[in-house]
Amino acid sequence: MTKQALRYNHLGYAPFAPKKFLVVETSLTSFEIKNEYEEVVFQGKMEPKGVWSFTEESCFLGDFSAFQKKGKYRIVVSDDLQSDWFLIEDEWLWNQLNANIKSFYYQRSGVELPPKEAGKWARPAAHLDDAITFHPSMERPGIWNAHGGWYDAGDYGKYIVNGGVSVASLLLACELYPKITEKTKIYEEIRFELDFFLRMQDHDGGVFFKITPDRWDSFLPPSKTIYERRVLGKSTTSTLNFAGVMAHAHRIYANQDPVFAAHCLEKAKKAYFWAKNNPNVPFPNNTEGSGPYGDENFSDEFFWARSMLFRETFGSDFSDEDFIKELEQDVETQRVLLDINWRDTQNLGWIALALQNQNLSMQSKARQKLEGSALEIIKRIENCPYRISLNEFQWGSNGVISNHALTLAVVNFWQNNAEYDGYISELVDYVYGRNPVNVSFVTGSAPSSPKFPHHRISGSDEIEEPIPGLLVGGLNSDRQDLHRNVAYPSDLPGFSYCDCQVSFASNETAINWNAPLTFVLVCLVSKYASI
Ligand code: 9MR
């Protein structure tokens, strides 16, 4: 039981990364690191950090960053207060990166996952979606081919706006750290989703919003579900989201597959023109069998699409005066956030401008904005007894914290400050166990990982272990699933997590939470691992 008072990364620490942990509610002041032979290899003092209001715990910080020797160790505070074994090595970063990328493979819809690739999680092709009808709200006869793409989360829906921010984060990883991503299967995986995106574009350039079943499916495997799946949409947000992603894909695939890259750019332009002519088409608010992903503000999606298109087409079609004027206006009016999320996508616009050098004044403005966000994230970490940047716990807080790390990594691309790497690493420590509920939030990553995620595939495949590599949403103090009798361990907001299948508010997985974690793992591999 006393083990519960230690908060540390359950997987381990890269040799040159910070190695910080927390002890809560203790009167003890020092700790030791012991190796497999019970030898004390490091001794240190814990520093009081104050009470964290979310859990009402007094927090004490231990730091053994100075100890860098590879091996298997444990933290020992007293006979009763010790960690489990963990490793000081960098392999865990590679392992988790590959598991995380593979989780997108397991989310593939419409194709067989053969045992050779999927092991015991193999499954037959289902939800082909290659000849489906339109939702009655669309009053559109005929059928559509919306084959492929990833399932969004624990449900079997496929949503463009959430797929878009996820792909954008993965494309960004390929853009900033190609030496790492080239050693992974990320390009194949992104391509699978991009091919689905292309199928979601209507002949006029507009992009459908989502493919979903008529009612929420029960926890049945894809091949056994009963509801019919249909196309819904189009909307301004899904179309602009598509434009931003496809313009970005143009950049990333330009070398490997120039024909495909050119095709992506052409489709991105077509989508952008549709949105210009249809600037106010709302999302389809039919939620009988799917989530809404509702968004009434389109200006941030316009900014994302415009800045990406500007980067890809400067000097050609999009250098005309009106387009540049609109982009300049975006630069004057858009806010900057700490994260990218499915509703607010302006940071993707700022990132595109920060990484281009066709217009240096826009580059400098974008960099300043993002640097401001990075400083705010760091300030929050420094002021928080848990040394994290979250000051609220919403649905998908693990995605938010991963996204904060992504923002730091992007800024560090031009700042190159080793301290930033340290903050990124510490935010990742939270994901893998240094959190109030002592859970490594990625399935299959550690003995403490979620066993019962709200994930229809894992919950219906009759295999004990859930699909590995999936990041669950994590602490969510809004607890929208209380009516399902979720047994949260305490009423305090910092304990709003339960590893049970019904907890869709804290224990679901989603591609838009996994994707920033993939990005951040790529970054940490580039900083701390041997290549
Ligand atoms: O991540 C979404 C969260 O921000 C919203 O508050 C929530 C309720 O609308 O929906 C979340 O997204 C879910 C989507 O609607 C359907 N697929 C599962 C997603 C993750 O829970």
mmCIF file of all heavy atoms in Angstrom, residues 152-153 155 159 291-293 342 395 508 510 513, ligand 1:
data_model
loop_
_atom_site.group_PDB
_atom_site.id
_atom_site.type_symbol
_atom_site.label_atom_id
_atom_site.label_comp_id
_atom_site.label_asym_id
_atom_site.label_seq_id
_atom_site.Cartn_x
_atom_site.Cartn_y
_atom_site.Cartn_z
ATOM 1 N N ASP A 152 -11.768 6.107 -34.700
ATOM 2 C CA ASP A 152 -11.388 7.298 -33.940
ATOM 3 C C ASP A 152 -10.856 6.984 -32.559
ATOM 4 O O ASP A 152 -9.932 7.636 -32.065
ATOM 5 C CB ASP A 152 -12.653 8.156 -33.783
ATOM 6 C CG ASP A 152 -12.407 9.499 -33.153
ATOM 7 O OD1 ASP A 152 -11.596 10.253 -33.702
ATOM 8 O OD2 ASP A 152 -13.029 9.792 -32.118
ATOM 9 N N ALA A 153 -11.476 5.983 -31.909
ATOM 10 C CA ALA A 153 -11.233 5.874 -30.478
ATOM 11 C C ALA A 153 -11.718 4.496 -30.025
ATOM 12 O O ALA A 153 -11.440 3.491 -30.679
ATOM 13 C CB ALA A 153 -11.996 6.998 -29.783
ATOM 14 N N ASP A 155 -14.830 3.850 -30.021
ATOM 15 C CA ASP A 155 -16.016 3.605 -30.864
ATOM 16 C C ASP A 155 -15.558 3.288 -32.289
ATOM 17 O O ASP A 155 -14.368 3.333 -32.606
ATOM 18 C CB ASP A 155 -16.959 4.816 -30.833
ATOM 19 C CG ASP A 155 -16.317 6.078 -31.402
ATOM 20 O OD1 ASP A 155 -15.077 6.227 -31.263
ATOM 21 O OD2 ASP A 155 -17.021 6.904 -31.994
ATOM 22 N N TYR A 159 -13.938 10.107 -38.062
ATOM 23 C CA TYR A 159 -14.298 11.524 -38.090
ATOM 24 C C TYR A 159 -13.141 12.310 -38.698
ATOM 25 O O TYR A 159 -12.001 12.200 -38.239
ATOM 26 C CB TYR A 159 -14.526 12.051 -36.674
ATOM 27 C CG TYR A 159 -15.438 11.222 -35.789
ATOM 28 C CD1 TYR A 159 -14.999 10.026 -35.219
ATOM 29 C CD2 TYR A 159 -16.736 11.650 -35.501
ATOM 30 C CE1 TYR A 159 -15.829 9.276 -34.388
ATOM 31 C CE2 TYR A 159 -17.563 10.908 -34.668
ATOM 32 C CZ TYR A 159 -17.100 9.721 -34.116
ATOM 33 O OH TYR A 159 -17.911 8.986 -33.285
ATOM 34 N N GLY A 291 -19.947 10.705 -31.815
ATOM 35 C CA GLY A 291 -19.687 11.959 -31.112
ATOM 36 C C GLY A 291 -19.927 13.144 -32.032
ATOM 37 O O GLY A 291 -19.910 13.003 -33.257
ATOM 38 N N PRO A 292 -20.150 14.327 -31.451
ATOM 39 C CA PRO A 292 -20.471 15.490 -32.292
ATOM 40 C C PRO A 292 -19.268 16.179 -32.954
ATOM 41 O O PRO A 292 -19.348 16.600 -34.088
ATOM 42 C CB PRO A 292 -21.153 16.445 -31.310
ATOM 43 C CG PRO A 292 -20.665 16.060 -29.949
ATOM 44 C CD PRO A 292 -20.317 14.588 -30.029
ATOM 45 N N TYR A 293 -18.177 16.312 -32.226
ATOM 46 C CA TYR A 293 -17.060 17.140 -32.682
ATOM 47 C C TYR A 293 -17.570 18.481 -33.209
ATOM 48 O O TYR A 293 -17.173 18.953 -34.277
ATOM 49 C CB TYR A 293 -16.203 16.411 -33.731
ATOM 50 C CG TYR A 293 -15.316 15.337 -33.118
ATOM 51 C CD1 TYR A 293 -15.433 14.001 -33.509
ATOM 52 C CD2 TYR A 293 -14.390 15.653 -32.144
ATOM 53 C CE1 TYR A 293 -14.635 13.001 -32.930
ATOM 54 C CE2 TYR A 293 -13.595 14.665 -31.557
ATOM 55 C CZ TYR A 293 -13.727 13.364 -31.957
ATOM 56 O OH TYR A 293 -12.935 12.403 -31.380
ATOM 57 N N TRP A 342 -8.885 19.172 -31.378
ATOM 58 C CA TRP A 342 -9.746 18.981 -32.543
ATOM 59 C C TRP A 342 -10.610 20.200 -32.829
ATOM 60 O O TRP A 342 -11.002 20.443 -33.946
ATOM 61 C CB TRP A 342 -10.606 17.724 -32.395
ATOM 62 C CG TRP A 342 -11.485 17.714 -31.170
ATOM 63 C CD1 TRP A 342 -11.203 17.120 -29.976
ATOM 64 C CD2 TRP A 342 -12.766 18.329 -31.024
ATOM 65 N NE1 TRP A 342 -12.225 17.330 -29.091
ATOM 66 C CE2 TRP A 342 -13.209 18.067 -29.709
ATOM 67 C CE3 TRP A 342 -13.605 19.077 -31.863
ATOM 68 C CZ2 TRP A 342 -14.428 18.514 -29.217
ATOM 69 C CZ3 TRP A 342 -14.818 19.526 -31.368
ATOM 70 C CH2 TRP A 342 -15.217 19.247 -30.064
ATOM 71 N N TRP A 395 -11.649 15.998 -20.314
ATOM 72 C CA TRP A 395 -11.720 14.782 -21.140
ATOM 73 C C TRP A 395 -10.452 14.725 -22.010
ATOM 74 O O TRP A 395 -10.192 15.651 -22.783
ATOM 75 C CB TRP A 395 -12.940 14.893 -22.042
ATOM 76 C CG TRP A 395 -13.429 13.625 -22.652
ATOM 77 C CD1 TRP A 395 -12.688 12.639 -23.228
ATOM 78 C CD2 TRP A 395 -14.796 13.216 -22.757
ATOM 79 N NE1 TRP A 395 -13.501 11.647 -23.686
ATOM 80 C CE2 TRP A 395 -14.807 11.972 -23.412
ATOM 81 C CE3 TRP A 395 -16.034 13.767 -22.384
ATOM 82 C CZ2 TRP A 395 -15.987 11.273 -23.704
ATOM 83 C CZ3 TRP A 395 -17.192 13.076 -22.675
ATOM 84 C CH2 TRP A 395 -17.157 11.843 -23.318
ATOM 85 N N GLU A 508 -11.114 5.878 -22.056
ATOM 86 C CA GLU A 508 -11.192 5.594 -23.486
ATOM 87 C C GLU A 508 -9.838 5.926 -24.111
ATOM 88 O O GLU A 508 -9.022 6.624 -23.510
ATOM 89 C CB GLU A 508 -12.299 6.425 -24.154
ATOM 90 C CG GLU A 508 -12.518 6.043 -25.616
ATOM 91 C CD GLU A 508 -13.805 6.599 -26.235
ATOM 92 O OE1 GLU A 508 -14.564 7.288 -25.537
ATOM 93 O OE2 GLU A 508 -14.044 6.317 -27.424
ATOM 94 N N ALA A 510 -7.992 7.426 -27.795
ATOM 95 C CA ALA A 510 -8.379 8.169 -29.001
ATOM 96 C C ALA A 510 -7.131 8.531 -29.798
ATOM 97 O O ALA A 510 -6.066 8.788 -29.223
ATOM 98 C CB ALA A 510 -9.158 9.433 -28.637
ATOM 99 N N TRP A 513 -5.138 11.675 -29.010
ATOM 100 C CA TRP A 513 -4.295 11.693 -27.802
ATOM 101 C C TRP A 513 -3.020 10.893 -28.075
ATOM 102 O O TRP A 513 -1.933 11.260 -27.639
ATOM 103 C CB TRP A 513 -5.051 11.115 -26.590
ATOM 104 C CG TRP A 513 -6.396 11.744 -26.378
ATOM 105 C CD1 TRP A 513 -6.744 13.048 -26.674
ATOM 106 C CD2 TRP A 513 -7.584 11.127 -25.860
ATOM 107 N NE1 TRP A 513 -8.067 13.262 -26.361
ATOM 108 C CE2 TRP A 513 -8.610 12.106 -25.858
ATOM 109 C CE3 TRP A 513 -7.908 9.840 -25.390
ATOM 110 C CZ2 TRP A 513 -9.911 11.842 -25.412
ATOM 111 C CZ3 TRP A 513 -9.194 9.584 -24.936
ATOM 112 C CH2 TRP A 513 -10.176 10.578 -24.954
HETATM 113 O O1 9MR B 1 -12.283 14.134 -27.199
HETATM 114 C C1 9MR B 1 -13.644 14.578 -27.222
HETATM 115 C C2 9MR B 1 -13.872 15.505 -26.053
HETATM 116 O O2 9MR B 1 -13.083 16.665 -26.205
HETATM 117 C C3 9MR B 1 -15.356 15.859 -25.967
HETATM 118 O O3 9MR B 1 -15.567 16.614 -24.794
HETATM 119 C C4 9MR B 1 -16.183 14.577 -25.924
HETATM 120 C C5 9MR B 1 -17.684 14.833 -25.858
HETATM 121 O O4 9MR B 1 -18.165 15.423 -27.009
HETATM 122 O O5 9MR B 1 -15.913 13.798 -27.084
HETATM 123 C C6 9MR B 1 -14.570 13.381 -27.175
HETATM 124 O O6 9MR B 1 -14.396 12.688 -28.351
HETATM 125 C C7 9MR B 1 -15.039 11.436 -28.485
HETATM 126 C C8 9MR B 1 -15.864 11.495 -29.768
HETATM 127 O O7 9MR B 1 -16.943 12.354 -29.583
HETATM 128 C C9 9MR B 1 -16.342 10.109 -30.212
HETATM 129 N N1 9MR B 1 -15.264 9.179 -30.288
HETATM 130 C C10 9MR B 1 -14.575 9.045 -29.016
HETATM 131 C C11 9MR B 1 -13.940 10.366 -28.647
HETATM 132 C C12 9MR B 1 -13.062 10.244 -27.402
HETATM 133 O O8 9MR B 1 -13.786 10.043 -26.248
#
